[in-house]
Amino acid sequence: MQGSVKLGTLVGIDIRLHYTWLLAIFLIAWSLALGYFPMSGAALGPVTYWVLGLVAALLLFASVLVHEVGHSLVAGARGQRVDNITLFIFGGVSNITRERVTAKDEFLISVVGPLISFVLAGFFWLIGLLLPAASAPNAVAGYLAYANLLLGLFNVVPGFPLDGGRVLRSIVWGVTGDMARATQVASYVGQGVAFLLIGWGVLQVLSGDLFGGLWIGFIGWFLNSSAEGSRQEATVHRVLAGVPVTSVMDFSPVNLSTELTVGEFVLEHVLQHGHRALPVVDNGRLVGIMSVTDAKHLNQDAWATTHVGEVMTRMPLKMLSPDADIATALHLMVENGLHQLPIVRNGALVGVVSRADVMGYLQSGLGRPQRGSDKMEIMAARPQSVPAH
């Protein structure tokens, strides 16, 4: 997810934080400090309520992370590659590259998430029973039990891209044998759930609950956008799957020598021809990519004396073989925020495919869809309404 930074690594998976995560932490802590904890029976001061709110918000996201790790571990056990887990304002998302995935894989990967949330809810509920009533730790445990229960129940809802929607898709996929058809069904159900949430949010706002109504409405808007995007992606994938990348790639791409200076790259290729990134070749073999970003990392005074080979982005790079299809290329570019991919055979550069090449193919009519033809957890908890243990 663009706009995120790496926090660390857990069980071999990169954990990333999106900048909107900070806003989520503040909103949850704020609602708990002003609403839930003052009403929990723990007679403490405003500063303590804010500290408890911050601790509870962080522990809630830790629960979301455990939920996502569960998805990722099952995905890894089923032979899928997990690139990272990103926490953001609405919860978390596992970036799972589903290679040769089956309906059974999808079902197992998806169903484990809500189960983990229910287990966590029970765990925090038991902790609350062991703690003194009307105490600060009891109030935190009570909130986390409720929030995890709500997270599990919400993700059971059969609306794509929630876990329940992915379970629904896996079932329809298993029955029909058509993943695109299953995605279409699950996404329409997901949009139905999204519109219900938006309507509920509007009613909450009209009844005076501005914060709760806006939160629910934004979740509905997010679900609707995700469901519609997933359906469109499935349609495009159906059109592009099986079409070799060699059908659209540039067989004679502009490439750079490692001995070219950064100044020459900027002047001759960036300014004159508008290239933002080009492959770098040495003795016929791909050795890196030189981009405008790489040049910006270098002081402009050194452009004339620094060679491309010294500052380029080196191997390993995101790339494909000529045997790959266009659907795989487009997915790889979108998932990694890339505009082009080198096509390599036995280490030698044989071509480059770009997003523009794919769009040109679709717009040409050759890839026009015919008529009929990564997993997310959303936090919907409203903290201020949580009952204490």
Side-chain angles (χ1 to χ4, degrees):
M1 184 181 289
Q2 294 186 3
S4 63
V5 296
K6 183 177 176 179
L7 177 65
T9 302
L10 184 63
V11 293
I13 303 169
D14 287 348
I15 309 300
R16 305 185 67 84
L17 294 180
H18 193 257
Y19 68 90
T20 57
W21 176 82
L22 295 173
L23 178 59
I25 289 292
F26 169 77
L27 290 175
I28 294 173
W30 169 69
S31 64
L32 291 173
L34 299 185
Y36 170 66
F37 286 121
M39 297 186 297
S40 67
L44 304 168
V47 174
T48 304
Y49 290 146
W50 269 100
V51 172
L52 292 176
L54 181 60
V55 170
L58 291 172
L59 288 175
L60 175 58
F61 268 99
S63 299
V64 173
L65 179 59
V66 172
H67 180 125
E68 291 297 333
V69 168
H71 285 305
S72 299
L73 291 178
V74 174
R78 303 295 298 181
Q80 308 305 309
R81 189 178 79 249
V82 182
D83 293 328
N84 58 69
I85 295 172
T86 302
L87 300 177
F88 69 121
I89 188 169
F90 290 128
V93 56
S94 298
N95 186 6
I96 300 172
T97 302
R98 289 173 163 79
E99 299 172 346
R100 300 179 297 279
V101 69
T102 65
K104 182 179 180 181
D105 293 334
E106 173 107 304
F107 178 86
L108 294 175
I109 293 169
S110 302
V111 77
V112 72
L115 293 178
I116 289 176
S117 292
F118 291 141
V119 170
L120 287 173
F123 171 73
F124 285 115
W125 177 74
L126 289 175
I127 288 180
L129 293 178
L130 299 175
L131 296 171
S135 66
N138 177 275
V140 172
Y143 166 70
L144 293 171
Y146 175 86
N148 277 285
L149 176 63
L150 188 57
L151 177 62
L153 291 173
F154 189 68
N155 275 285
V156 168
V157 174
F160 199 82
L162 297 174
D163 289 339
R166 292 186 179 276
V167 169
L168 173 62
R169 182 172 76 166
S170 70
I171 294 172
V172 176
W173 181 9
V175 171
T176 65
D178 187 340
M179 182 181 180
R181 174 68 173 172
T183 301
Q184 196 172 49
V185 171
S187 66
Y188 279 127
V189 175
Q191 285 188 285
V193 172
F195 290 136
L196 289 175
L197 287 173
I198 292 171
W200 182 21
V202 171
L203 291 176
Q204 292 292 98
V205 171
L206 293 177
S207 66
D209 186 0
L210 179 63
F211 176 75
L214 288 176
W215 186 264
I216 293 170
F218 275 124
I219 289 175
W221 167 80
F222 181 76
L223 285 179
N224 178 63
S225 299
S226 298
E228 186 173 4
S230 297
R231 186 170 63 253
Q232 293 174 350
E233 180 183 350
T235 301
V236 172
H237 185 276
R238 169 179 279 187
V239 172
L240 300 180
V243 180
V245 72
T246 51
S247 300
V248 298
M249 78 178 192
D250 180 359
F251 283 88
S252 301
V254 177
N255 60 79
L256 308 176
S257 164
T258 55
E259 297 303 312
L260 189 76
T261 66
V262 175
E264 291 171 329
F265 163 69
V266 172
L267 179 62
E268 298 174 12
H269 297 282
V270 177
L271 297 180
Q272 292 187 13
H273 297 96
H275 297 298
R276 295 190 59 81
L278 290 172
V280 182
V281 175
D282 186 26
N283 293 324
R285 301 182 68 83
L286 180 69
V287 293
I289 295 287
M290 181 65 195
S291 68
V292 173
T293 302
D294 295 323
K296 287 181 178 179
H297 290 160
L298 184 67
N299 190 306
Q300 191 168 344
D301 294 337
W303 284 3
T305 56
T306 304
H307 296 116
V308 162
E310 299 175 58
V311 296
M312 67 183 182
T313 301
R314 297 179 178 276
M315 303 286 279
L317 301 168
K318 300 293 184 182
M319 55 189 181
L320 291 172
S321 73
D323 300 325
D325 61 16
I326 304 177
T328 302
L330 181 60
H331 176 77
L332 193 59
M333 285 188 282
V334 171
E335 285 294 311
N336 294 278
L338 304 173
H339 293 279
Q340 60 184 11
L341 285 173
I343 308 301
V344 178
R345 177 188 285 120
N346 298 326
L349 180 70
V350 296
V352 169
V353 64
S354 67
R355 293 195 193 195
D357 295 329
V358 177
M359 293 304 106
Y361 175 80
L362 290 171
Q363 294 169 1
S364 69
L366 295 175
R368 186 174 299 154
Q370 299 300 314
R371 200 174 284 274
S373 51
D374 293 38
K375 177 75 227 41
M376 191 173 298
E377 318 314 327
I378 309 298
M379 296 196 309
R382 293 181 51 202
Q384 64 271 33
S385 63
V386 181
H389 275 292

